[in-house]
């Protein structure tokens, strides 16, 4: 999906996390400069409706534990 969106997978994952109002923050860690460059894509990136729909479908198959009070 990240390849289709033409962004690094880490950037797509972080963009997906930032779409949820029940998350107060997203913690990231990097171990090399390339990873910092990867998340820098978010500066001008808006997740597409197609990607958002696909990710929502996946999350329904694999529900997030925090939605169930765990």
């Amino acid at each position: 999906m990240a390849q289709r969106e033409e962004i690094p997978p880490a950037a797509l994952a972080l963009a997906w996390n930032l779409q949820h109002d029940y998350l107060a923050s997203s913690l990231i860690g990097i171990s090399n400069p390339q990873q910092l460059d990867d998340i820098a894509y978010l500066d001008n990136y808006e997740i597409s409706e197609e990607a958002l729909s696909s990710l929502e479908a996946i999350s329904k198959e694999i529900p997030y534990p925090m939605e169930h009070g765990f």
Side-chain angles (χ1 to χ4, degrees):
M1 190 173 311
Q3 188 175 29
R4 186 174 59 219
E5 290 288 302
E6 299 180 353
I7 65 168
L12 181 60
L14 189 53
W16 168 245
N17 279 338
L18 295 173
Q19 295 293 314
H20 297 96
D21 58 0
Y22 55 80
L23 293 177
S25 65
S26 292
L27 300 176
I28 58 170
I30 63 167
S31 57
N32 64 60
Q34 180 59 49
Q35 291 173 323
L36 185 57
D37 290 341
D38 288 350
I39 61 168
Y41 274 83
L42 293 178
D43 193 33
N44 294 313
Y45 174 73
E46 186 173 323
I47 195 167
S48 72
E49 288 298 320
E50 180 182 354
L52 192 56
S53 294
S54 295
L55 290 166
E56 286 175 358
I58 292 167
S59 72
K60 286 179 183 176
E61 293 176 25
I62 307 169
Y64 290 102
M66 66 276 238
E67 290 179 344
H68 299 283
F70 297 112

